[in-house]
Amino acid sequence: MKDDAEPVILDDPGKLKALSHPLRRRILRRLDAHGAATSTTLAEALGESTGTTSYHLRQLERHGLIEEIPERSAGRERWWRRAESPRDLRFPNLDAVPDEQRPVLGEVLRLMHAEDTELMSRVPEEYARRPEWVRVSRGSAVLTEEGLAEFFEDYIRLLQRHSDQAREAADPDARPVHVRLFTLPADGEE
């Protein structure tokens, strides 16, 4: 993502609903990790029917989360990739979310938490297999709300800069890695 690109706030109910479907999230993760695919290759990889993956691909395209690769597509075979933008998707301020949309937002958060929990459960095994690719850091900080917002923006810029550099260089040693940041208030903890 280029520095001038604005983050996309997930305040569109349709986009949130698209992200709240477990198979669509699996499709997005597969495209992130393995690159472009057809509905057939996704169906085989995810254990689904081609009709099912095709339907969900169209839903993801409709909301701008994936895009067709016209130069690779021919006839009925359509190739898909993650959309180049938006790459910085953010949740809206909870006060701005209508009551009827809060369950959908809650479902997206629940699915993301389950995905992240699964990733974290793999850390010890992956560290034993490929320690050069596993990094873990735990820390804490004392911040104001403004300081936390600044820290988060710095983190996003750093993540994007390193990802963009590897893409632009087309480095054959580059590979997708999962990177997570979460912050929680530590009030009242022992």
Side-chain angles (χ1 to χ4, degrees):
M1 175 182 268
K2 303 303 175 206
D3 292 336
D4 59 353
E6 292 292 318
V8 172
I9 307 302
L10 291 172
D11 54 5
D12 170 21
K15 193 172 282 191
L16 264 178
K17 188 173 179 187
L19 288 170
S20 72
H21 193 283
L23 180 55
R24 292 179 197 154
R25 297 195 58 76
R26 290 175 58 212
I27 289 170
L28 290 171
R29 285 195 315 273
R30 181 80 186 179
L31 292 173
D32 275 343
H34 299 281
T38 65
S39 63
T40 301
T41 58
L42 285 167
E44 291 169 2
L46 301 175
E48 298 289 337
S49 74
T50 302
T52 299
T53 56
S54 182
Y55 169 79
H56 289 292
L57 285 164
R58 287 190 307 274
Q59 296 304 310
L60 291 167
E61 177 191 35
R62 180 175 161 211
H63 295 288
L65 298 166
I66 66 169
E67 58 193 15
E68 184 178 359
I69 308 170
E71 60 273 14
R72 286 187 74 180
S73 298
R76 293 183 57 152
E77 182 179 79
R78 297 174 71 186
W79 283 84
W80 301 95
R81 66 180 166 218
R82 279 297 295 253
E84 283 299 311
S85 75
R87 285 185 22 222
D88 185 3
L89 297 173
R90 300 188 188 187
F91 290 107
N93 183 316
L94 194 54
D95 296 338
V97 178
D99 289 342
E100 64 273 11
Q101 288 302 315
R102 288 184 182 203
V104 177
L105 178 61
E107 180 62 8
V108 173
L109 289 168
R110 186 193 70 73
L111 288 169
M112 290 174 63
H113 179 263
E115 292 164 9
D116 292 344
T117 299
E118 190 275 328
L119 283 175
M120 289 300 293
S121 74
R122 291 177 22 209
V123 168
E125 176 186 331
E126 289 297 325
Y127 183 72
R129 283 182 4 152
R130 300 179 285 188
E132 66 279 6
W133 283 99
V134 177
R135 301 287 187 269
V136 177
S137 172
R138 298 179 67 206
S140 61
V142 178
L143 301 167
T144 62
E145 282 184 43
E146 295 80 18
L148 178 58
E150 182 180 345
F151 177 87
F152 181 75
E153 295 302 327
D154 287 347
Y155 164 80
I156 294 295
R157 281 191 295 276
L158 182 67
L159 185 63
Q160 291 169 348
R161 186 184 77 206
H162 284 276
S163 184
D164 288 343
Q165 286 172 349
R167 280 190 178 102
E168 290 167 9
D171 189 331
D173 293 330
R175 64 186 312 165
V177 294
H178 297 288
V179 180
R180 299 295 187 262
L181 167 74
F182 70 91
T183 66
L184 298 170
D187 299 340
E189 292 184 8
E190 294 179 24

